Amino acid sequence: MAGGSAPLDTKHGQYLGTWGNIGSQTQKGITTYSISANRQRPLAGTLNAAVFNTWRRCRAQALYVVPPFAVAYLALNWAVEKNEYYNSKTGRMHDAEAADEATQGGSVRG
């Protein structure tokens, strides 16, 4: 085929049309309706759906997120309290007594 020639149906010799347009007759009796883009509400219900969808997703993930954070918080709280005890007067006295017992080899009761 040379440039510019139209595809022909070899059996009937009729024009077939371009891609996506096979060349059939236009259909009659089909009505299409459309609405202006300015009249549509593309974000209708978005805020309401976002709130409830976020709540549903957070609730579903709570059992995966909350326990590790709770364990980490408790461990950190324990470490802070232990550090404050070790750096207090009673903690230093306890540490000194433990060091004395270790150097003396413990007390022998008899």
Side-chain angles (χ1 to χ4, degrees):
M1 283 195 217
S5 65
L8 294 176
D9 180 8
T10 55
K11 186 175 180 183
H12 299 103
Q14 295 179 346
Y15 175 69
L16 292 177
T18 58
W19 286 102
N21 182 13
I22 300 186
S24 63
Q25 295 178 355
T26 58
Q27 297 182 356
K28 296 180 182 178
I30 296 177
T31 307
T32 58
Y33 298 95
S34 63
I35 188 169
S36 168
N38 295 332
R39 301 289 295 176
Q40 293 180 5
R41 294 176 48 203
L43 299 177
T46 302
L47 188 59
N48 187 28
V51 169
F52 290 110
N53 202 21
T54 302
W55 170 253
R56 179 184 57 84
R57 288 179 178 208
C58 289
R59 188 184 59 188
Q61 294 296 318
L63 291 177
Y64 296 104
V65 175
V66 172
F69 276 102
V71 168
Y73 174 77
L74 292 173
L76 187 64
N77 194 24
W78 171 82
V80 167
E81 288 178 2
K82 196 77 163 174
N83 186 37
E84 288 175 357
Y85 171 73
Y86 282 152
N87 290 319
S88 68
K89 190 173 186 178
T90 57
R92 290 176 191 255
M93 286 176 42
H94 181 276
D95 189 35
E97 290 173 4
D100 287 342
E101 286 183 11
T103 56
Q104 293 174 3
S107 60
V108 179
R109 296 184 186 181

